[in-house]
């Protein structure tokens, strides 16, 4: 059974960095998180009911790896400390591998897809994702002057939140389809990398943020997560409607690999 998304479970952070762990939600945010969780589970069922829906689901993952995360990589590449360069290179290599694996899974289901050779060749994200990216970039510009490491801190804060959300999405998906589904090994492989990225992002922020900057980091994390939640319901309903439309389309075939 899936965990309640309104209850956070995370490894303890250093003193002063509790804000990096997913918060335990109460009131309306908790209700919103549960609503998004249940709508997304229903959307996954609809998408897995047809081959076209399953391919669309894989394209969501492919575009997510190639657009939003790599856009943040470009922000992080602005004069990073030398000790961080190798970590950034490995993170980007992981994302590029994930994109190739998702593209391969689409091809195996009769679709056409090819992972971008570089972040510059990544596809343009959808309208909703572009709005979220614009909000993120505004947060980076507004908070960067308040940290000694500048835009690196807000970019990594956004990256941490995005990785935590990706982990929740993949956990939900794996729990729904079960271990016997053909996509389960791919999703669990990506999930393991995302959980490793969460630990790396958290450790990097703890290394980069000075004690007198911790209150500002907590404010930043609240704003980042409020932005994520603001787009959650819209995205979940869009997924569900897409799945229903593809399942009901004349001639829709059930996935051959389920």
């Amino acid at each position: 059974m899936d965990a309640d998304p309104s209850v956070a479970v995370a490894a303890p952070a250093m003193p002063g960095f509790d804000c990096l762990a997913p918060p335990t939600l109460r009131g309306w945010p908790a209700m919103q998180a549960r609503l998004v969780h249940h709508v997304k589970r229903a959307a996954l069922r609809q998408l897995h009911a047809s081959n076209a829906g399953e391919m669309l689901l894989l394209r969501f993952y492919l575009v997510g790896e190639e657009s939003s995360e790599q856009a943040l990589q470009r922000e992080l590449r602005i004069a990073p400390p030398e000790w961080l360069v190798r970590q950034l290179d490995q993170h980007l290599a992981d994302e590029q591998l994930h994109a190739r694996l998702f593209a391969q899974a689409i091809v195996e289901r009769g679709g056409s897809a090819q992972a971008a050779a570089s972040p510059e060749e990544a596809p343009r994200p959808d309208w909703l994702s572009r709005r979220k990216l614009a909000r993120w970039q505004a947060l980076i510009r507004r908070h960067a002057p308040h940290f000694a490491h500048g835009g690196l801190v807000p970019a990594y804060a956004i990256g941490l939140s995005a990785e935590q959300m990706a982990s929740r999405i993949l956990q939900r998906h794996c729990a729904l389809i079960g271990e016997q589904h053909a996509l389960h090994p791919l999703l669990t492989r990506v999930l393991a990398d995302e959980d490793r990225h969460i630990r790396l992002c958290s450790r990097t922020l703890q290394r980069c943020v000075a004690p007198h900057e911790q209150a500002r980091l907590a404010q930043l994390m609240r704003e980042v997560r409020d932005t994520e939640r603001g787009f959650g319901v819209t995205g979940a309903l869009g997924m569900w409607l897409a799945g229903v439309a593809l399942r009901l389309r004349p001639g829709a075939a059930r996935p051959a690999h389920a």
Side-chain angles (χ1 to χ4, degrees):
M1 179 180 293
D2 289 339
D4 187 333
S6 66
V7 178
V9 178
M14 290 173 54
F17 289 96
D18 294 343
C19 64
L20 301 182
T24 299
L25 302 178
R26 296 179 176 84
W28 166 242
M31 292 175 60
Q32 186 182 34
R34 284 193 289 269
L35 173 63
V36 169
H37 174 70
H38 291 299
V39 173
K40 284 191 174 181
R41 278 180 61 89
L44 287 171
R45 292 191 187 95
Q46 294 292 339
L47 288 164
H48 277 294
S50 70
N51 193 56
E54 198 163 88
M55 287 194 291
L56 179 61
L57 184 55
L58 289 164
R59 288 189 191 279
F60 287 153
Y61 285 127
L62 172 60
V63 173
E65 293 288 345
E66 291 191 324
S67 58
S68 298
E69 291 289 340
Q70 293 188 7
L72 287 176
Q73 283 278 348
R74 287 192 286 272
E75 296 285 350
L76 293 170
R77 292 287 175 180
I78 301 173
E82 187 173 342
W83 58 266
L84 191 55
V85 172
R86 182 178 298 179
Q87 179 178 312
L88 288 171
D89 288 341
Q90 182 58 56
H91 195 154
L92 182 58
D94 289 343
E95 291 165 356
Q96 290 171 333
L97 173 60
H98 298 166
R100 290 195 298 272
L101 292 174
F102 286 128
Q104 179 182 340
I106 293 169
V107 171
E108 288 172 354
R109 284 157 179 76
S112 60
Q114 185 173 356
S118 69
E120 291 72 24
E121 296 178 11
R124 182 175 171 82
D126 60 79
W127 176 82
L128 194 65
S129 297
R130 293 199 301 272
R131 287 195 63 193
K132 185 191 291 186
L133 283 169
R135 296 272 186 91
W136 283 349
Q137 288 161 354
L139 283 175
I140 290 172
R141 290 191 299 270
R142 183 153 52 83
H143 285 276
H146 299 276
F147 296 99
H149 281 279
L152 183 72
V153 172
Y156 250 98
I158 292 166
L160 172 63
S161 180
E163 298 286 5
Q164 289 170 336
M165 182 180 69
S167 178
R168 291 194 300 273
I169 289 170
L170 289 164
Q171 288 179 53
R172 179 191 300 120
H173 198 167
C174 289
L176 180 75
I177 62 177
E179 295 182 3
Q180 302 306 312
H181 196 282
L183 282 177
H184 194 270
L186 168 58
L187 298 182
T188 53
R189 176 176 183 171
V190 176
L191 174 59
D193 285 342
E194 301 294 4
D195 287 343
R196 177 167 51 83
H197 295 163
I198 289 170
R199 294 190 294 272
L200 287 173
C201 288
S202 181
R203 286 198 294 266
T204 300
L205 285 166
Q206 291 175 62
R207 182 170 179 178
C208 289
V209 174
H212 70 277
E213 297 172 336
Q214 289 175 353
R216 187 76 189 196
L217 176 64
Q219 177 187 341
L220 168 62
M221 292 304 305
R222 286 193 297 270
E223 293 181 24
V224 170
R225 289 182 172 129
D226 286 346
T227 299
E228 290 282 10
R229 282 194 294 272
F231 286 89
V233 174
T234 304
L237 289 173
M239 281 181 60
W240 183 79
L241 289 171
V244 170
L246 290 170
R247 181 176 62 84
L248 298 178
R249 190 175 62 180
R254 292 186 60 81
H257 292 72

